[in-house]
Amino acid sequence: MVDDPKTLVSTTWLSQHLKDPDLRVLDASWYLPDAGRNPREEYDAAHIPGARFFDIDDVSDNRSDLPHMAPPIEKFMSRLRAMGVGDGHQVVIYDGAGLLSSARVWWLFRLMGQENVAVLDGGFPKWQSEGLAVEDMSPLVRDRHMTVRMQNQLVRDVTQVSSASKLGDHVIVDARAAARFRGDAPEPREGLRAGHIPGSRNVPYTALLNDNMTMKDPQTCRTIFEAAGVDLTKPVITTCGSGVTAAILALALERLGHMHWSLYDGSWAEWGMFPTVPVATGDA
């Protein structure tokens, strides 16, 4: 792969830059409840040297009933300042699943106007499999100011997505598994209808990943999107269950040079709950 400090870097790149004074590493591990894993406990037991723990459920908008919605600017700035992450830093984000919630935090940084942020390809499992250093101590942190410039074009709400669904001026791409997209499998969250946003296309996030949870090369990802009926001449809105794996699609789009993308933050947790918006079932 080609290392890009603005999207995706390899374990080799990170190990070579780990002692850079302006590098900040974040463990952004997060799992669905049925995974039976506690990301904070796992971080406390072992993490990449110098990594800070980033809790996506804490660095979120707790005024919303929806899970881990993007936080207000002020909350993001204060939480990151407390982690010692700010202006002038190169940020690398990883997670314990390989490549899952780290992409969500990459998107959140981009939403806040931060450019020098990358996901660790293959995450902590790949790092550990290569015998690279880990530690169980939290780093000493010094406050660092962060300048935030909200990039509103990178996020969409239910009204905007509903309009895009009706007008067809964007391609809506759903990262959930095919059975959930078709409405054949129940949603993991109670009270949600089954199916997908009318007119949307299905690219399960797992289709973009190799067996070791590294991302496939940009040309292969392009082929996968196009095979799913995604017209890459149009702007793309990514969606999923709760706005986490949708960011994997966004990361892949960015790497293949498709810059006109946004993420539906509420995703199916919101759409599937709203009785006034339509739901389609079956294949796209």
Side-chain angles (χ1 to χ4, degrees):
M1 65 164 285
V2 177
D3 289 302
D4 178 7
K6 295 182 185 298
T7 55
L8 197 68
V9 296
S10 64
T11 50
T12 300
W13 185 97
L14 182 57
S15 63
Q16 291 171 347
H17 291 270
L18 200 55
K19 296 188 183 301
D20 289 2
D22 284 328
L23 180 79
R24 293 294 180 269
V25 181
L26 301 179
D27 180 334
S29 299
W30 170 90
Y31 309 103
L32 285 167
D34 61 7
R37 297 178 65 174
N38 185 311
R40 179 73 209 205
E41 288 180 1
E42 291 183 15
Y43 167 84
D44 289 340
H47 52 261
I48 293 174
R52 287 95 160 124
F53 184 72
F54 187 105
D55 184 342
I56 71 169
D57 287 321
D58 174 59
V59 190
S60 66
D61 187 354
N62 57 12
R63 301 167 303 180
S64 173
D65 293 333
L66 296 168
H68 41 251
M69 293 286 281
I73 287 174
E74 298 76 19
K75 184 173 184 180
F76 183 83
M77 290 173 65
S78 67
R79 290 292 193 272
L80 270 294
R81 183 183 297 117
M83 291 181 213
V85 179
D87 293 343
H89 284 150
Q90 168 66 52
V91 177
V92 175
I93 307 158
Y94 74 88
D95 64 60
L99 206 169
L100 184 69
S101 50
S102 51
R104 166 74 186 190
V105 178
W106 170 83
W107 167 77
L108 187 55
F109 270 78
R110 291 292 305 275
L111 180 65
M112 299 294 173
Q114 307 303 307
E115 293 285 338
N116 296 320
V117 55
V119 169
L120 179 64
D121 201 24
F124 198 47
K126 190 169 188 290
W127 182 271
Q128 287 184 299
S129 73
E130 294 169 356
L132 295 166
V134 299
E135 65 181 16
D136 59 5
M137 295 172 55
S138 296
L140 294 172
V141 171
R142 293 178 180 172
D143 282 8
R144 180 85 162 238
H145 174 73
M146 175 180 285
T147 304
V148 169
R149 299 179 186 86
M150 190 78 169
Q151 304 297 305
N152 290 309
Q153 75 278 9
L154 296 183
V155 65
R156 291 291 180 265
D157 62 22
V158 66
T159 303
Q160 292 167 315
V161 176
S162 180
S163 174
S165 172
K166 292 173 185 172
L167 297 175
D169 54 352
H170 292 65
V171 186
I172 302 169
V173 189
D174 194 321
R176 292 176 301 156
R180 288 174 64 190
F181 179 84
R182 291 192 302 265
D184 295 341
E187 285 296 306
R189 290 180 176 82
E190 290 185 15
L192 300 183
R193 295 172 295 167
H196 58 266
I197 299 167
S200 59
R201 300 291 177 171
N202 186 210
V203 178
Y205 78 92
T206 51
L208 302 175
L209 302 177
N210 298 304
D211 290 343
N212 65 351
M213 297 298 284
T214 56
M215 183 167 280
K216 293 177 179 176
D217 67 88
Q219 187 53 52
T220 300
C221 290
R222 178 183 294 277
T223 301
I224 291 166
F225 278 112
E226 290 174 344
V230 178
D231 182 353
L232 291 174
T233 67
K234 290 183 176 181
V236 175
I237 299 172
T238 66
T239 183
C240 60
S242 65
V244 173
T245 59
I248 298 174
L249 271 56
L251 181 63
L253 288 165
E254 184 89 3
R255 281 185 58 77
L256 60 84
H258 187 87
M259 303 304 185
H260 298 291
W261 58 264
S262 54
L263 184 146
Y264 175 23
D265 199 9
S267 282
W268 199 255
E270 180 176 45
W271 191 280
M273 177 182 66
F274 259 94
T276 55
V277 292
V279 167
T281 55
D283 293 317

